Amino acid sequence: MFRAPSRLAQVRPLHQAQQPNPSTPITTRRLAALLLLLAAFLSTRTAFAQRVLGPATDATVLPRGMVRVSLSPTWERGHERYADGYGRTKKGSVESLAADFNLDTLGLAQLPALGAVNLGVRSILGGTGALPLTLGTLSTRFDRSIATTPFAIDVGVTRRLMVGVVIPFVSTRTEVSLDPNPGGTNATVGLNSAYLSGTAGSNARARNQGVVTQLTSAAQQLQALLQQCMGNTAPACSAVNADRAGAQALVAAATSAATGIEGVYGVSATKPGSRYAPWQNGSVHKLVEARLGNLSTSFAGFLGAPTGASWIDARGLTGAAPMGYADFQRIVTDPAYGVAADSLISVELSRPGDIEFGAKFVVFDAFGLQPPQRGAPGGVRVRFALGGAYRLGTALQDSVDLFADVGTGDGQTDLEGRAFLDLLVGTRFWASAVARYTVQQADEIVRRVPRVAHEPFPPASNRIAVQRDLGDMLAIEVSPRWVVTDHFALTGSWHFVRKGEDTYASVGTPAGGSTLDLSLLAQGTAQSSQRALLSFTYSNLAHYFRRRARAPMEVSFTIGRTLSGWGNAPKQTVSGLSMRVYNQLF
């Protein structure tokens, strides 16, 4: 790469070998000298075109004994992703990063515990159909930023071999904007008031118990009247004897309603009901009140007018309050509600990423930057190198209980093969093409297995230890460069990444003891994305190798964005800085 002194050293012997013969005519001597100077100039200018490297990857190998230290912070930001096709949008469509948590209705599909409410309320209503149970809409937005600062050290071992280490420091932050049940009017259920602490909870249970007592008392009186009126023609028995089947059905309906109220609304500390209950002003609670009013009217038809205003006071039944922000966080965090995760709030992680050890070997070099592979001046030149990397799983993985966090890396071991190709054309233009293939190694982690694709809140009972094998990755990078001067260059980069689907195998037993479909963990994990970057670089390497600068260095500024993708690949804007300093150690 940076063998300009050696290159110039080889030019000087060439001049010495062709010193003019005194017998040669003066015009011939001058012409020969002019041609030699022109060849040296062209050769040097061609070499200098590649001196401004920039942040993009290339086939360059440092000269023997040279060390390069790089610090390249990059910032990625976004709030959208490219869909995997298994959710509500088609594959490749742009959707919110929080699409799984941005719901028109937070109901039975997301919170299985609402199933008990559905059964209990149906027993009150005497129906069989599913009820429109919802805690309301859930308005959520994730704004994600990832700051990655790779600290890299590369050392030239020989003219062809370079080794290095990369230690990335990663900070990830997800800003969560959350508005559960905005407006408070779209819900039909909420958190059961019977579970409130102190007087509020005990009063709610007492009022509910009063309604159950009314139902039970009316049913007992009607059942007793049915027995008394069997074969009895007294006026008090006329209504019962006219419709004994209807009266018996009413007793059963009242008993079922009382049981349903105990199971859903709650009546005592030992029978607190469901964690969820119909919202006091919601449509489902209104159906319950209407049902109790009808039962009261029916009892009056058989038993006559009661001592009080009605046999059953439906207004005494205490429904839930509409879900608010604190209620939603309680649903997510309180183990009693089944999810038992951390709060859905903004989360920030900072930790080293996956540390990488790598090597690069030049197979063929016609650039002429290293004397043994020096090519002819001008024209088109090619350089080809091979490399590899071993990546340690030192990063912090995303948490199974933090639904909004992003880990600082995969946190598992990778093996990566690399191929580098540089193409130099003339004195101003050169380009690099790099291909990487990453074989990701299996590891063991704990995951929550969803019941359906894109389930936002998989229950704690679905936590299980699994063997994870992330899909292998193919990455291609093409980076053309235009060298404006010996100090400045513009670089464009196109990045393509394709990742295969993950695989999972069980190594543990789920907390709930049920059989889980691990294929749902892998569904939608295949991924692809394309990204474009533009970089501006200042470099004094050309002057250093001309021995006109003491501290060789490069500074680059990069901007870019994701162009397309699928498989939940994030749509991001990118900005970055890069600084490289060099030193000849031996």
PDB file of all heavy atoms in Angstrom, residues 305-331:
ATOM      1  N   ALA A 305     -94.041  -7.780  42.902  1.00  0.00           N
ATOM      2  CA  ALA A 305     -93.165  -6.659  43.225  1.00  0.00           C
ATOM      3  C   ALA A 305     -92.394  -6.953  44.499  1.00  0.00           C
ATOM      4  O   ALA A 305     -92.963  -7.426  45.484  1.00  0.00           O
ATOM      5  CB  ALA A 305     -93.976  -5.400  43.374  1.00  0.00           C
ATOM      6  N   PRO A 306     -91.090  -6.661  44.499  1.00  0.00           N
ATOM      7  CA  PRO A 306     -90.290  -6.907  45.709  1.00  0.00           C
ATOM      8  C   PRO A 306     -90.532  -5.825  46.743  1.00  0.00           C
ATOM      9  O   PRO A 306     -91.183  -4.819  46.490  1.00  0.00           O
ATOM     10  CB  PRO A 306     -88.858  -6.855  45.169  1.00  0.00           C
ATOM     11  CG  PRO A 306     -88.936  -5.889  44.025  1.00  0.00           C
ATOM     12  CD  PRO A 306     -90.291  -6.114  43.399  1.00  0.00           C
ATOM     13  N   THR A 307     -89.946  -6.037  47.908  1.00  0.00           N
ATOM     14  CA  THR A 307     -90.052  -5.049  48.972  1.00  0.00           C
ATOM     15  C   THR A 307     -89.360  -3.757  48.581  1.00  0.00           C
ATOM     16  O   THR A 307     -89.858  -2.666  48.851  1.00  0.00           O
ATOM     17  CB  THR A 307     -89.437  -5.601  50.277  1.00  0.00           C
ATOM     18  OG1 THR A 307     -90.089  -6.832  50.608  1.00  0.00           O
ATOM     19  CG2 THR A 307     -89.590  -4.613  51.413  1.00  0.00           C
ATOM     20  N   GLY A 308     -88.193  -3.868  47.917  1.00  0.00           N
ATOM     21  CA  GLY A 308     -87.468  -2.686  47.480  1.00  0.00           C
ATOM     22  C   GLY A 308     -87.945  -2.214  46.119  1.00  0.00           C
ATOM     23  O   GLY A 308     -89.030  -2.566  45.644  1.00  0.00           O
ATOM     24  N   ALA A 309     -87.096  -1.393  45.468  1.00  0.00           N
ATOM     25  CA  ALA A 309     -87.455  -0.845  44.169  1.00  0.00           C
ATOM     26  C   ALA A 309     -87.460  -1.906  43.092  1.00  0.00           C
ATOM     27  O   ALA A 309     -88.236  -1.834  42.139  1.00  0.00           O
ATOM     28  CB  ALA A 309     -86.491   0.279  43.801  1.00  0.00           C
ATOM     29  N   SER A 310     -86.563  -2.900  43.200  1.00  0.00           N
ATOM     30  CA  SER A 310     -86.476  -3.981  42.217  1.00  0.00           C
ATOM     31  C   SER A 310     -85.804  -5.169  42.863  1.00  0.00           C
ATOM     32  O   SER A 310     -85.193  -5.066  43.929  1.00  0.00           O
ATOM     33  CB  SER A 310     -85.683  -3.517  40.981  1.00  0.00           C
ATOM     34  OG  SER A 310     -84.348  -3.167  41.351  1.00  0.00           O
ATOM     35  N   TRP A 311     -85.980  -6.301  42.242  1.00  0.00           N
ATOM     36  CA  TRP A 311     -85.344  -7.493  42.772  1.00  0.00           C
ATOM     37  C   TRP A 311     -83.820  -7.401  42.684  1.00  0.00           C
ATOM     38  O   TRP A 311     -83.117  -7.882  43.568  1.00  0.00           O
ATOM     39  CB  TRP A 311     -85.831  -8.733  42.011  1.00  0.00           C
ATOM     40  CG  TRP A 311     -87.210  -9.142  42.417  1.00  0.00           C
ATOM     41  CD1 TRP A 311     -88.370  -8.906  41.755  1.00  0.00           C
ATOM     42  CD2 TRP A 311     -87.560  -9.855  43.603  1.00  0.00           C
ATOM     43  NE1 TRP A 311     -89.435  -9.409  42.445  1.00  0.00           N
ATOM     44  CE2 TRP A 311     -88.968 -10.021  43.602  1.00  0.00           C
ATOM     45  CE3 TRP A 311     -86.849 -10.381  44.694  1.00  0.00           C
ATOM     46  CZ2 TRP A 311     -89.652 -10.677  44.607  1.00  0.00           C
ATOM     47  CZ3 TRP A 311     -87.537 -11.041  45.703  1.00  0.00           C
ATOM     48  CH2 TRP A 311     -88.928 -11.179  45.655  1.00  0.00           C
ATOM     49  N   ILE A 312     -83.332  -6.804  41.613  1.00  0.00           N
ATOM     50  CA  ILE A 312     -81.873  -6.694  41.415  1.00  0.00           C
ATOM     51  C   ILE A 312     -81.552  -5.252  41.036  1.00  0.00           C
ATOM     52  O   ILE A 312     -82.103  -4.726  40.062  1.00  0.00           O
ATOM     53  CB  ILE A 312     -81.388  -7.644  40.306  1.00  0.00           C
ATOM     54  CG1 ILE A 312     -81.799  -9.088  40.624  1.00  0.00           C
ATOM     55  CG2 ILE A 312     -79.874  -7.536  40.114  1.00  0.00           C
ATOM     56  CD1 ILE A 312     -81.706 -10.016  39.447  1.00  0.00           C
ATOM     57  N   ASP A 313     -80.677  -4.627  41.787  1.00  0.00           N
ATOM     58  CA  ASP A 313     -80.247  -3.259  41.493  1.00  0.00           C
ATOM     59  C   ASP A 313     -78.974  -3.326  40.638  1.00  0.00           C
ATOM     60  O   ASP A 313     -77.860  -3.441  41.151  1.00  0.00           O
ATOM     61  CB  ASP A 313     -79.981  -2.494  42.785  1.00  0.00           C
ATOM     62  CG  ASP A 313     -79.589  -1.046  42.523  1.00  0.00           C
ATOM     63  OD1 ASP A 313     -79.711  -0.592  41.362  1.00  0.00           O
ATOM     64  OD2 ASP A 313     -79.147  -0.375  43.480  1.00  0.00           O
ATOM     65  N   ALA A 314     -79.148  -3.253  39.322  1.00  0.00           N
ATOM     66  CA  ALA A 314     -78.005  -3.384  38.414  1.00  0.00           C
ATOM     67  C   ALA A 314     -76.992  -2.266  38.590  1.00  0.00           C
ATOM     68  O   ALA A 314     -75.799  -2.437  38.315  1.00  0.00           O
ATOM     69  CB  ALA A 314     -78.501  -3.402  36.966  1.00  0.00           C
ATOM     70  N   ARG A 315     -77.447  -1.116  39.076  1.00  0.00           N
ATOM     71  CA  ARG A 315     -76.538   0.013  39.250  1.00  0.00           C
ATOM     72  C   ARG A 315     -75.551  -0.209  40.389  1.00  0.00           C
ATOM     73  O   ARG A 315     -74.548   0.508  40.512  1.00  0.00           O
ATOM     74  CB  ARG A 315     -77.329   1.288  39.495  1.00  0.00           C
ATOM     75  CG  ARG A 315     -78.193   1.735  38.315  1.00  0.00           C
ATOM     76  CD  ARG A 315     -79.093   2.885  38.698  1.00  0.00           C
ATOM     77  NE  ARG A 315     -79.998   2.497  39.780  1.00  0.00           N
ATOM     78  CZ  ARG A 315     -80.857   3.317  40.377  1.00  0.00           C
ATOM     79  NH1 ARG A 315     -80.918   4.589  39.983  1.00  0.00           N
ATOM     80  NH2 ARG A 315     -81.648   2.900  41.350  1.00  0.00           N
ATOM     81  N   GLY A 316     -75.798  -1.198  41.213  1.00  0.00           N
ATOM     82  CA  GLY A 316     -74.882  -1.467  42.319  1.00  0.00           C
ATOM     83  C   GLY A 316     -73.620  -2.184  41.888  1.00  0.00           C
ATOM     84  O   GLY A 316     -72.644  -2.247  42.652  1.00  0.00           O
ATOM     85  N   LEU A 317     -73.614  -2.743  40.686  1.00  0.00           N
ATOM     86  CA  LEU A 317     -72.435  -3.476  40.207  1.00  0.00           C
ATOM     87  C   LEU A 317     -71.342  -2.483  39.817  1.00  0.00           C
ATOM     88  O   LEU A 317     -71.578  -1.547  39.061  1.00  0.00           O
ATOM     89  CB  LEU A 317     -72.825  -4.338  39.010  1.00  0.00           C
ATOM     90  CG  LEU A 317     -71.838  -5.440  38.602  1.00  0.00           C
ATOM     91  CD1 LEU A 317     -71.671  -6.456  39.724  1.00  0.00           C
ATOM     92  CD2 LEU A 317     -72.311  -6.125  37.325  1.00  0.00           C
ATOM     93  N   THR A 318     -70.127  -2.700  40.349  1.00  0.00           N
ATOM     94  CA  THR A 318     -69.021  -1.776  40.130  1.00  0.00           C
ATOM     95  C   THR A 318     -68.128  -2.262  38.996  1.00  0.00           C
ATOM     96  O   THR A 318     -67.497  -3.326  39.095  1.00  0.00           O
ATOM     97  CB  THR A 318     -68.175  -1.616  41.403  1.00  0.00           C
ATOM     98  OG1 THR A 318     -69.014  -1.184  42.471  1.00  0.00           O
ATOM     99  CG2 THR A 318     -67.056  -0.606  41.183  1.00  0.00           C
ATOM    100  N   GLY A 319     -68.068  -1.486  37.919  1.00  0.00           N
ATOM    101  CA  GLY A 319     -67.183  -1.816  36.807  1.00  0.00           C
ATOM    102  C   GLY A 319     -65.805  -1.221  36.993  1.00  0.00           C
ATOM    103  O   GLY A 319     -65.502  -0.564  37.999  1.00  0.00           O
ATOM    104  N   ALA A 320     -64.964  -1.433  35.990  1.00  0.00           N
ATOM    105  CA  ALA A 320     -63.585  -0.951  36.048  1.00  0.00           C
ATOM    106  C   ALA A 320     -63.485   0.476  35.536  1.00  0.00           C
ATOM    107  O   ALA A 320     -64.353   0.957  34.808  1.00  0.00           O
ATOM    108  CB  ALA A 320     -62.685  -1.860  35.223  1.00  0.00           C
ATOM    109  N   ALA A 321     -62.412   1.125  35.911  1.00  0.00           N
ATOM    110  CA  ALA A 321     -62.085   2.432  35.332  1.00  0.00           C
ATOM    111  C   ALA A 321     -61.358   2.206  34.011  1.00  0.00           C
ATOM    112  O   ALA A 321     -60.763   1.151  33.784  1.00  0.00           O
ATOM    113  CB  ALA A 321     -61.206   3.214  36.298  1.00  0.00           C
ATOM    114  N   PRO A 322     -61.374   3.173  33.083  1.00  0.00           N
ATOM    115  CA  PRO A 322     -60.651   2.996  31.820  1.00  0.00           C
ATOM    116  C   PRO A 322     -59.143   2.920  32.058  1.00  0.00           C
ATOM    117  O   PRO A 322     -58.618   3.548  32.983  1.00  0.00           O
ATOM    118  CB  PRO A 322     -61.026   4.240  31.019  1.00  0.00           C
ATOM    119  CG  PRO A 322     -61.415   5.250  32.035  1.00  0.00           C
ATOM    120  CD  PRO A 322     -62.057   4.483  33.147  1.00  0.00           C
ATOM    121  N   MET A 323     -58.472   2.122  31.248  1.00  0.00           N
ATOM    122  CA  MET A 323     -57.025   1.940  31.401  1.00  0.00           C
ATOM    123  C   MET A 323     -56.282   3.246  31.144  1.00  0.00           C
ATOM    124  O   MET A 323     -56.537   3.952  30.167  1.00  0.00           O
ATOM    125  CB  MET A 323     -56.534   0.873  30.428  1.00  0.00           C
ATOM    126  CG  MET A 323     -55.023   0.647  30.466  1.00  0.00           C
ATOM    127  SD  MET A 323     -54.454  -0.541  29.221  1.00  0.00           S
ATOM    128  CE  MET A 323     -54.812   0.355  27.701  1.00  0.00           C
ATOM    129  N   GLY A 324     -55.335   3.568  32.036  1.00  0.00           N
ATOM    130  CA  GLY A 324     -54.448   4.708  31.866  1.00  0.00           C
ATOM    131  C   GLY A 324     -53.011   4.233  31.706  1.00  0.00           C
ATOM    132  O   GLY A 324     -52.727   3.028  31.615  1.00  0.00           O
ATOM    133  N   TYR A 325     -52.083   5.162  31.689  1.00  0.00           N
ATOM    134  CA  TYR A 325     -50.668   4.835  31.486  1.00  0.00           C
ATOM    135  C   TYR A 325     -50.145   3.898  32.576  1.00  0.00           C
ATOM    136  O   TYR A 325     -49.510   2.886  32.296  1.00  0.00           O
ATOM    137  CB  TYR A 325     -49.843   6.123  31.454  1.00  0.00           C
ATOM    138  CG  TYR A 325     -48.366   5.896  31.221  1.00  0.00           C
ATOM    139  CD1 TYR A 325     -47.857   5.788  29.935  1.00  0.00           C
ATOM    140  CD2 TYR A 325     -47.480   5.794  32.297  1.00  0.00           C
ATOM    141  CE1 TYR A 325     -46.507   5.584  29.714  1.00  0.00           C
ATOM    142  CE2 TYR A 325     -46.129   5.585  32.092  1.00  0.00           C
ATOM    143  CZ  TYR A 325     -45.643   5.484  30.806  1.00  0.00           C
ATOM    144  OH  TYR A 325     -44.303   5.269  30.601  1.00  0.00           O
ATOM    145  N   ALA A 326     -50.422   4.240  33.832  1.00  0.00           N
ATOM    146  CA  ALA A 326     -49.940   3.408  34.935  1.00  0.00           C
ATOM    147  C   ALA A 326     -50.576   2.028  34.893  1.00  0.00           C
ATOM    148  O   ALA A 326     -49.925   1.020  35.222  1.00  0.00           O
ATOM    149  CB  ALA A 326     -50.224   4.091  36.274  1.00  0.00           C
ATOM    150  N   ASP A 327     -51.862   1.960  34.501  1.00  0.00           N
ATOM    151  CA  ASP A 327     -52.533   0.664  34.394  1.00  0.00           C
ATOM    152  C   ASP A 327     -51.858  -0.211  33.349  1.00  0.00           C
ATOM    153  O   ASP A 327     -51.655  -1.417  33.552  1.00  0.00           O
ATOM    154  CB  ASP A 327     -53.998   0.861  34.030  1.00  0.00           C
ATOM    155  CG  ASP A 327     -54.773   1.597  35.107  1.00  0.00           C
ATOM    156  OD1 ASP A 327     -54.460   1.387  36.297  1.00  0.00           O
ATOM    157  OD2 ASP A 327     -55.666   2.380  34.758  1.00  0.00           O
ATOM    158  N   PHE A 328     -51.515   0.391  32.199  1.00  0.00           N
ATOM    159  CA  PHE A 328     -50.869  -0.392  31.144  1.00  0.00           C
ATOM    160  C   PHE A 328     -49.522  -0.931  31.620  1.00  0.00           C
ATOM    161  O   PHE A 328     -49.196  -2.106  31.395  1.00  0.00           O
ATOM    162  CB  PHE A 328     -50.683   0.456  29.888  1.00  0.00           C
ATOM    163  CG  PHE A 328     -49.858  -0.230  28.836  1.00  0.00           C
ATOM    164  CD1 PHE A 328     -50.418  -1.206  28.028  1.00  0.00           C
ATOM    165  CD2 PHE A 328     -48.513   0.077  28.689  1.00  0.00           C
ATOM    166  CE1 PHE A 328     -49.655  -1.864  27.075  1.00  0.00           C
ATOM    167  CE2 PHE A 328     -47.746  -0.570  27.740  1.00  0.00           C
ATOM    168  CZ  PHE A 328     -48.324  -1.539  26.930  1.00  0.00           C
ATOM    169  N   GLN A 329     -48.714  -0.096  32.254  1.00  0.00           N
ATOM    170  CA  GLN A 329     -47.418  -0.559  32.738  1.00  0.00           C
ATOM    171  C   GLN A 329     -47.589  -1.662  33.785  1.00  0.00           C
ATOM    172  O   GLN A 329     -46.774  -2.593  33.856  1.00  0.00           O
ATOM    173  CB  GLN A 329     -46.618   0.612  33.321  1.00  0.00           C
ATOM    174  CG  GLN A 329     -46.282   1.701  32.324  1.00  0.00           C
ATOM    175  CD  GLN A 329     -45.299   1.257  31.247  1.00  0.00           C
ATOM    176  OE1 GLN A 329     -44.917   0.089  31.155  1.00  0.00           O
ATOM    177  NE2 GLN A 329     -44.893   2.187  30.403  1.00  0.00           N
ATOM    178  N   ARG A 330     -48.647  -1.595  34.551  1.00  0.00           N
ATOM    179  CA  ARG A 330     -48.917  -2.652  35.525  1.00  0.00           C
ATOM    180  C   ARG A 330     -49.237  -3.963  34.821  1.00  0.00           C
ATOM    181  O   ARG A 330     -48.802  -5.038  35.244  1.00  0.00           O
ATOM    182  CB  ARG A 330     -50.071  -2.235  36.426  1.00  0.00           C
ATOM    183  CG  ARG A 330     -50.385  -3.222  37.533  1.00  0.00           C
ATOM    184  CD  ARG A 330     -51.519  -2.718  38.406  1.00  0.00           C
ATOM    185  NE  ARG A 330     -51.866  -3.687  39.431  1.00  0.00           N
ATOM    186  CZ  ARG A 330     -52.894  -3.554  40.258  1.00  0.00           C
ATOM    187  NH1 ARG A 330     -53.667  -2.466  40.185  1.00  0.00           N
ATOM    188  NH2 ARG A 330     -53.151  -4.465  41.175  1.00  0.00           N
ATOM    189  N   ILE A 331     -50.005  -3.881  33.733  1.00  0.00           N
ATOM    190  CA  ILE A 331     -50.325  -5.084  32.957  1.00  0.00           C
ATOM    191  C   ILE A 331     -49.051  -5.737  32.443  1.00  0.00           C
ATOM    192  O   ILE A 331     -48.915  -6.966  32.444  1.00  0.00           O
ATOM    193  CB  ILE A 331     -51.263  -4.724  31.782  1.00  0.00           C
ATOM    194  CG1 ILE A 331     -52.636  -4.323  32.322  1.00  0.00           C
ATOM    195  CG2 ILE A 331     -51.392  -5.882  30.807  1.00  0.00           C
ATOM    196  CD1 ILE A 331     -53.542  -3.725  31.266  1.00  0.00           C
TER     197      ILE A 331
END
